[in-house]
Amino acid sequence: MSSLIKPFSVCEGPGMGCSAPPHPLTAAGLDSLPGHQRSYSGAAAVGGRKITHPGKAIFAGGIAGGIEICITFPTEYVKTQLQLDERANPPRYRGIGDCVKLTVQDHGLRGLYRGLSSLLYGSIPKSAVRFGTFEILSNPMRDSTGRLDNKRSLLCGLGAGIAEAVLIVCPMETLKVKLIHDQCSLRPRYRGFFHGVGEIIREQGKKKKKTGVRGTYQGLTATVLKQGSNQAIRFYVMNALRNWYKGDDPRREMHPIVTAMFGATAGAASVFGNTPLDVIKTRMQGLDAHRYKNTMDCAFQILKQEGPQFYKGTVPRLGRVCLDVAIVFVIYEEVVKVLNNVWHTQ
């Protein structure tokens, strides 16, 4: 191992190019450094996982989120339509293909991108908050070699998911679901994203006699549960696979294809782990959300009226999420590499 770990300065972390005197990477050398420098010195190391500056994580996450949603939105649209297509109505769609066919038939190809703007405006800050929060939480938890164990990655992912749910995802998802649901009605009321946002806020303000912005926080509990479990599962699986792949070779590079495969696996795990929460969240944010008293009542009514339909829309969600997580992790890692060369941090 000594041949793999060479002396370097505190400034020689990711993207840190300066000529400060080097500290040997030994127990004595690390212990002689102040705490904040010791954590960044360990970043160069075992497991090959360098500590990423939160600012870089926020920037790279935002870029990754924006690119990803433009690629995968049609699958998100189909998933939402199938989840809103309740049996009691009776259902309009016979499956994924039928949903795509009828949407294109009624609205053209652009119909599959209805509601994209609400997700695009939200996906950039969502991914920025997710990765930024994860790095902020995980950096102090890494050991002296920069390695993060799987249990701690689960906790950091949970924290990142809760942060993005409260700050970004809940209002964004509420607007997205209402815009998509409105398109299904016989007489759509919203002419576009900004008109829809204005109308939703105005309507919610009249109903609650308070600021209508609160109306965009429908299904907050379900959203926090969904996003928290989502990111906890994804970061846990991704970190576990990364640690397994690196093994005893701390400098083993991960090819983007490997990162994509691990990301897709993490995405699939999150789909099977929390799709029931996603169905409940979608119902709580739809135009018929007034039918439910709270999250538990929504779950009970679905179970009572439709049977165990909590995995409705799993197939389109599986395709979308696997592609989503794979793309995001690959783009994120590659953007961070570029930033390390042009943005020097300590």
Side-chain angles (χ1 to χ4, degrees):
M1 287 293 294
S2 60
S3 64
L4 294 176
I5 305 175
K6 63 180 181 180
F8 60 97
S9 74
V10 174
C11 298
E12 287 176 344
M16 302 176 190
C18 68
S19 57
H23 279 277
L25 189 55
T26 63
L30 286 175
D31 290 340
S32 67
L33 294 175
H36 70 283
Q37 291 184 349
R38 184 162 59 249
S39 66
Y40 276 82
S41 292
V46 176
R49 177 61 167 88
K50 298 180 178 66
I51 288 179
T52 301
H53 187 279
K56 295 178 183 178
I58 291 172
F59 190 80
I63 292 177
I67 294 175
E68 172 275 321
I69 198 60
C70 290
I71 296 173
T72 64
F73 184 79
T75 59
E76 174 68 16
Y77 176 88
V78 172
K79 181 215 72 172
T80 302
Q81 288 284 37
L82 291 178
Q83 288 180 345
L84 292 172
D85 190 31
E86 299 179 30
R87 285 189 173 185
N89 283 349
R92 180 187 181 193
Y93 307 117
R94 296 190 299 272
I96 299 172
D98 189 52
C99 178
V100 173
K101 177 183 176 181
L102 290 178
T103 299
V104 174
Q105 179 180 304
D106 295 342
H107 305 284
L109 289 174
R110 293 182 61 182
L112 292 173
Y113 283 88
R114 180 68 182 270
L116 170 63
S117 53
S118 63
L119 274 192
L120 183 60
Y121 299 147
S123 287
I124 294 175
K126 177 183 74 172
S127 291
V129 168
R130 176 192 307 166
F131 284 99
T133 301
F134 182 82
E135 296 298 341
I136 290 172
L137 295 176
S138 66
N139 285 350
M141 293 187 180
R142 297 181 186 279
D143 61 22
S144 60
T145 66
R147 190 184 187 96
L148 181 69
D149 66 41
N150 297 336
K151 183 184 296 185
R152 290 179 177 179
S153 70
L154 182 74
L155 295 175
C156 293
L158 178 63
I162 292 174
E164 70 176 15
V166 175
L167 297 176
I168 307 294
V169 177
C170 190
M172 176 190 74
E173 287 286 303
T174 298
L175 295 172
K176 179 209 71 177
V177 172
K178 288 184 183 298
L179 288 171
I180 292 177
H181 204 173
D182 177 66
Q183 181 176 305
C184 300
S185 62
L186 295 176
R187 296 181 179 178
R189 295 180 297 139
Y190 306 141
R191 296 191 297 271
F193 174 75
F194 292 106
H195 177 257
V197 171
E199 288 296 300
I200 291 170
I201 292 177
R202 183 178 62 80
E203 291 165 6
Q204 293 298 326
K206 285 184 177 180
K207 289 179 182 178
K208 300 182 181 298
K209 297 181 180 179
K210 297 178 181 179
T211 173
V213 173
R214 294 188 180 184
T216 63
Y217 273 85
Q218 289 179 262
L220 176 60
T221 301
T223 303
V224 167
L225 291 173
K226 178 210 168 187
Q227 292 304 121
S229 60
N230 246 351
Q231 302 314 324
I233 293 171
R234 290 175 189 176
F235 279 107
Y236 172 83
V237 173
M238 190 69 187
N239 192 69
L241 290 173
R242 180 187 287 116
N243 288 341
W244 165 79
Y245 183 80
K246 300 278 188 180
D248 296 327
D249 183 359
R251 300 208 173 188
R252 186 176 187 184
E253 291 291 333
M254 282 180 57
H255 191 279
I257 293 179
V258 175
T259 301
M261 291 174 61
F262 287 174
T265 302
S270 69
V271 168
F272 291 114
N274 77 349
T275 286
L277 291 172
D278 188 45
V279 174
I280 294 170
K281 176 198 69 68
T282 299
R283 297 290 178 83
M284 289 291 292
Q285 293 172 332
L287 297 179
D288 296 327
H290 62 276
R291 294 172 46 189
Y292 311 116
K293 298 177 182 178
N294 49 47
T295 301
M296 289 301 296
D297 180 60
C298 178
F300 178 75
Q301 286 197 40
I302 294 174
L303 185 62
K304 180 180 178 180
Q305 298 173 9
E306 304 174 43
Q309 293 297 307
F310 291 111
Y311 277 88
K312 194 170 188 179
T314 296
V315 175
R317 186 184 179 217
L318 186 64
R320 183 238 189 276
V321 170
C322 288
L323 187 59
D324 165 357
V325 181
I327 291 173
V328 166
F329 271 111
V330 170
I331 296 177
Y332 174 78
E333 295 290 347
E334 295 305 308
V335 172
V336 166
K337 290 179 183 177
V338 173
L339 291 177
N340 285 339
N341 294 326
V342 298
W343 181 356
H344 304 314
T345 56
Q346 291 196 50

